[in-house]
Amino acid sequence: MNAPMADPMLTLYGESFASRLLLGTAGYPSPDILARAAKASGAEILTVSLRRESARQRTGQGFWQLVEELDLKLLPNTAGCHSPKEAIATAQMARELFGTDWIKLEVIGNDDTLQPDLFGLVEAAKALSEEGFKILPYCTEDLSAAERLVAAGCEVLMPWGSPIGSACGLSNRPGLKALRAYFPDIPLIVDAGIGAPSHAAEAMELGYDGVLLNTAVAKAGDPVAMAAAFGKAIEAGHQAFAAGLMEPQDMASPSTPMAGTPFAGSGRVS
């Protein structure tokens, strides 16, 4: 069987990136560690929260200058929004503040799990798409919701691996695999729940186009080293998928054939 075709670049809304890691900027011990982690990861897209930047005239000003110095693509998010109206207003303010029509769209439906409100998400996505936003929606692996998000104008989907900050990895691997098969031509990025580089590699081995994470790096004992590890794991997973992974089997299969080997069929060696 031929190996799957894989684009060497991650392309989102017509822009191409060498790295398939999208990195969050919240919760780091210091701005300096954030900057070093971002560089070590190789990430070219950073997510930023409008709520953090609302204090730009005070401590937020230093953060803004740091992000500008990194010279990376900014992806504002609507984190913490619980209604379509709130998410739309936050996206509009983010466009004014950050000077970009890219938005990571979040509409939270449950405070305990931080699971997306899929109905509100579709409503907000449709309204923002009509305003020209390039939307990267934080969603689940639900196929019906995914179809509606694509119909609403989303050219990228970002299903969760597991609840935000849980570090549980891919809780519904079959569901994520089905989503990939159902949307072979839509960029898919696993967002949330990634706790270890092995989780990120697993997502990429399923054929996903990228991984977005924050807490697993920001809260690591050594965020800079962990960021580098994630960058390598994502690249390794992508290369493995492109090379063509062996399918699991129920029975053993000898790696060395018996036919033609010394003593094959003799029963015993005298």
Side-chain angles (χ1 to χ4, degrees):
M1 183 179 67
N2 293 330
M5 294 297 292
D7 192 322
M9 303 289 282
L10 171 64
T11 301
L12 307 173
Y13 288 103
E15 295 189 40
S16 294
F17 306 90
S19 173
R20 294 173 179 271
L21 170 60
L22 290 73
L23 190 65
T25 56
Y28 287 81
S30 71
D32 176 65
I33 290 177
L34 165 59
R36 289 165 52 207
K39 292 177 181 177
S41 73
E44 297 172 81
I45 301 175
L46 295 181
T47 64
V48 291
S49 170
L50 177 65
R51 282 172 168 74
R52 178 162 189 168
E53 282 308 301
S54 63
R56 279 182 62 190
Q57 298 305 315
R58 292 172 293 179
T59 59
Q61 183 64 43
F63 172 79
W64 176 249
Q65 291 175 346
L66 180 149
V67 169
E68 287 185 322
E69 289 171 2
L70 288 172
D71 193 28
L72 301 176
K73 179 76 176 182
L74 294 185
L75 176 60
N77 66 48
T78 63
C81 293
H82 288 75
S83 70
K85 182 178 180 180
E86 186 181 8
I88 292 167
T90 301
Q92 292 167 337
M93 288 188 286
R95 180 163 59 183
E96 292 297 320
L97 179 61
F98 296 108
T100 178
D101 54 9
W102 282 44
I103 193 74
K104 178 190 171 187
L105 183 61
E106 299 183 31
V107 182
I108 300 302
N110 183 279
D111 287 330
D112 293 325
T113 65
L114 300 180
Q115 179 170 329
D117 173 357
L118 298 177
F119 301 101
L121 188 64
V122 172
E123 181 182 336
K126 186 175 186 301
L128 290 172
S129 180
E130 290 172 352
E131 293 186 24
F133 279 90
K134 296 176 173 63
I135 303 162
L136 291 82
Y138 163 60
C139 57
T140 68
E141 66 278 16
D142 183 276
L143 292 177
S144 297
E147 281 189 313
R148 285 166 173 76
L149 287 167
V150 171
C154 297
E155 297 181 14
V156 180
L157 297 173
M158 299 207 302
W160 65 353
S162 52
I164 294 173
S166 68
C168 289
L170 309 186
S171 296
N172 185 5
R173 193 176 189 276
L176 290 170
K177 191 173 182 179
L179 189 68
R180 175 73 284 176
Y182 200 80
F183 294 101
D185 300 320
I186 297 287
L188 300 179
I189 297 170
V190 170
D191 175 16
I194 299 296
S198 57
H199 298 159
E202 183 182 6
M204 300 304 294
E205 289 170 0
L206 290 178
Y208 274 68
D209 298 283
V211 172
L212 193 159
L213 57 92
N214 186 166
T215 308
V217 170
K219 301 300 183 183
D222 185 340
V224 178
M226 186 62 74
F230 268 107
K232 294 172 183 176
I234 289 169
E235 180 63 24
H238 179 65
Q239 290 183 2
F241 173 75
L245 291 160
M246 176 182 173
E247 289 294 328
Q249 303 179 123
D250 292 331
M251 301 296 290
S253 176
S255 58
T256 303
M258 290 298 294
T261 59
F263 315 118
S266 64
R268 66 174 183 169
V269 178
S270 58

